[in-house]
Amino acid sequence: MKKIPEKTLTALKILLLITGVWFCISETEAVKTAVSGALGRCINIIIPSLYAMMTVSALVIKSGLTSKFPKPFKFVGRFLFGMNENSFPIFLFSMFAGYPAGAKMLCTGYSGGKISKKSAGLLMGICFGAGPAFIFGCISGQLYSSSLAGKIILISTVSANVILAFFVSFFLRRDSEIQKNAPNSFSITGEMLTECVISGGKTIAEICFMIIAFSVFTAMLDTYGIISAAADVFSKISGLSHDISAEFLPAFLDITAVNALPENNYSLLPYLCALTSFGGICVIFQISAVVSGKLSLKPLILLRTIAAILSFIICRSIMPFMMRNEVISASAAAVKTYKAPSPVPSLLIILMTFMLMCEYGNLIKCNKKQQNKI
């Protein structure tokens, strides 16, 4: 009997794969439009917002900087959240660094013996945040004429993480596993910096390719009417119109697609807070690619679902107070859409990272040959 669900799941995967192949063959124009739009979002938003953070996050962990935090911070982390000197800085940093940064730092810490596997799995559910660059650039900057919306989203998502951290602390305190091989010294070398730059480039590439793939997947669902059918259900549950629901669901799959939502619609702000806190399906897959099976994703999915509900409630609670002096004029509203001045810097970053990866690979081969000769 246990084999029936497995066979059913396998059959669904095969059916989905065949459908995807047929869609790419038969709907070439829709595929081209989806890939073009996703690539534009990657070049203009994702790379400028996250590339530096991916490199810095790896460097923070590998260098041992987390162990050099002042003692008061270590005490607060241990007393309030049950986090050790390595995990508490990651928690603080990840909420403002961008979605995959927290997972990447935790994986680096776990691989380096600084965080136990159990703690890293739990922490991955709260070391999670869109970051101000993404919130103000990709979400509020595209949809609202005031930066207040971005502030509300940031406060709601961070507050949800802090509340969750209190509950997770009960489980973290029970984790008695000690990593004895964790180095506490601080060191930055040229080789370490090069490795972190290459690692950041690989992570960004994985994120961008995942966004492009999800864009095609969303286009397929839309073409075959699945988005419309799901919008009917979501409209009945949420009370939103069918048109708005149909534009909101692609953003649930890939949060970078929020630019299709109506502009200056503050009734959508609680839903945007919930979506930002959850991250979307594409972000879950991005983190899955980052952890590469080293850590379980079950705590992440559960905690992010709870965080989405908390963010929604917090946003609805603080909106009347934060927006009491905000005057919105539909006729005068002018949304300032975020756009990078030019895609050239992002393309140059990609090119230089690729060249660095090639040169670093050749250098490692040369060193191995010299060692073998010796």
Side-chain angles (χ1 to χ4, degrees):
M1 293 297 291
K2 291 182 179 180
K3 293 183 178 180
I4 295 177
E6 294 179 2
K7 291 182 178 180
T8 303
L9 183 60
T10 302
L12 288 174
K13 290 179 180 179
I14 294 172
L15 178 62
L16 183 61
L17 181 59
I18 294 173
T19 305
V21 172
W22 174 251
F23 175 75
C24 292
I25 294 174
S26 61
E27 302 291 342
T28 55
E29 193 64 32
V31 172
K32 183 176 72 174
T33 302
V35 171
S36 177
L39 188 60
R41 294 197 301 272
C42 289
I43 292 175
N44 292 326
I45 297 173
I46 301 301
I47 295 176
S49 299
L50 295 180
Y51 182 86
M53 280 298 183
M54 292 298 100
T55 302
V56 170
S57 62
L59 190 60
V60 166
I61 295 297
K62 286 193 174 184
S63 65
L65 181 61
T66 54
S67 64
K68 298 302 178 183
F69 261 54
K71 289 185 178 180
F73 280 94
K74 298 177 183 178
F75 175 77
V76 170
R78 173 63 68 180
F79 180 74
L80 293 180
F81 304 109
M83 301 179 190
N84 62 29
E85 60 182 18
N86 293 304
S87 56
F88 185 56
I90 295 176
F91 172 66
L92 296 177
F93 186 77
S94 62
M95 290 189 291
F96 304 96
Y99 287 120
K104 185 173 179 60
M105 295 173 75
L106 288 169
C107 279
T108 305
Y110 166 64
S111 300
K114 298 179 180 180
I115 303 173
S116 69
K117 184 175 183 178
K118 181 180 177 181
S119 293
L122 289 171
L123 287 166
M124 196 162 57
I126 57 176
C127 295
F128 188 100
F134 186 83
I135 289 174
F136 288 97
C138 183
I139 302 177
S140 66
Q142 294 193 80
L143 300 179
Y144 297 97
S145 56
S146 171
S147 62
L148 181 61
K151 294 176 183 177
I152 292 174
I153 295 174
L154 187 62
I155 292 172
S156 300
T157 53
V158 171
S159 299
N161 277 346
V162 173
I163 293 172
L164 272 180
F166 280 112
F167 288 98
V168 173
S169 66
F170 294 102
F171 299 96
L172 292 176
R173 295 180 202 277
R174 296 176 184 176
D175 184 15
S176 58
E177 185 178 346
I178 300 174
Q179 303 297 310
K180 296 181 179 180
N181 59 333
N184 292 319
S185 60
F186 172 75
S187 174
I188 295 180
T189 63
E191 183 180 358
M192 182 188 298
L193 180 60
T194 303
E195 289 176 354
C196 292
V197 170
I198 293 173
S199 175
K202 288 181 178 178
T203 303
I204 284 292
E206 291 171 352
I207 291 171
C208 290
F209 287 134
M210 192 68 70
I211 289 173
I212 293 172
F214 262 81
S215 182
V216 175
F217 179 68
T218 303
M220 182 183 73
L221 295 180
D222 187 37
T223 301
Y224 295 144
I226 298 175
I227 293 291
S228 180
D232 288 334
V233 178
F234 184 70
S235 179
K236 293 177 181 178
I237 296 173
S238 64
L240 299 174
S241 67
H242 177 273
D243 292 340
I244 293 178
S245 298
E247 293 170 345
F248 187 85
L249 289 174
F252 173 74
L253 294 174
D254 177 13
I255 194 171
T256 62
V258 293
N259 59 334
L261 291 170
E263 298 173 354
N264 279 311
N265 189 338
Y266 281 86
S267 65
L268 293 178
L269 198 54
Y271 294 95
L272 286 172
C273 287
L275 177 60
T276 305
S277 194
F278 181 72
I281 303 299
C282 184
V283 170
I284 302 296
F285 274 81
Q286 291 170 20
I287 293 176
S288 176
V290 169
V291 301
S292 300
K294 295 177 183 177
L295 302 172
S296 173
L297 294 179
K298 292 179 181 178
L300 169 71
I301 297 172
L302 175 62
L303 290 173
R304 294 330 301 170
T305 302
I306 298 172
I309 298 171
L310 289 174
S311 296
F312 183 93
I313 296 171
I314 293 169
C315 179
R316 290 288 294 268
S317 301
I318 65 176
M319 274 182 67
F321 301 100
M322 294 193 67
M323 298 188 64
R324 62 181 182 273
N325 297 324
E326 188 77 4
V327 178
I328 303 172
S329 175
S331 60
V335 177
K336 297 179 180 179
T337 303
Y338 171 83
K339 186 177 181 181
S342 170
V344 174
S346 296
L347 294 174
L348 288 175
I349 288 176
I350 296 172
L351 179 61
M352 288 187 291
T353 303
F354 179 74
M355 292 172 62
L356 183 61
M357 291 169 66
C358 294
E359 290 296 325
Y360 188 68
N362 292 333
L363 180 62
I364 292 176
K365 290 180 181 179
C366 291
N367 291 336
K368 288 182 177 179
K369 288 181 179 179
Q370 291 178 358
Q371 289 177 358
N372 292 333
K373 288 180 180 179
I374 295 174

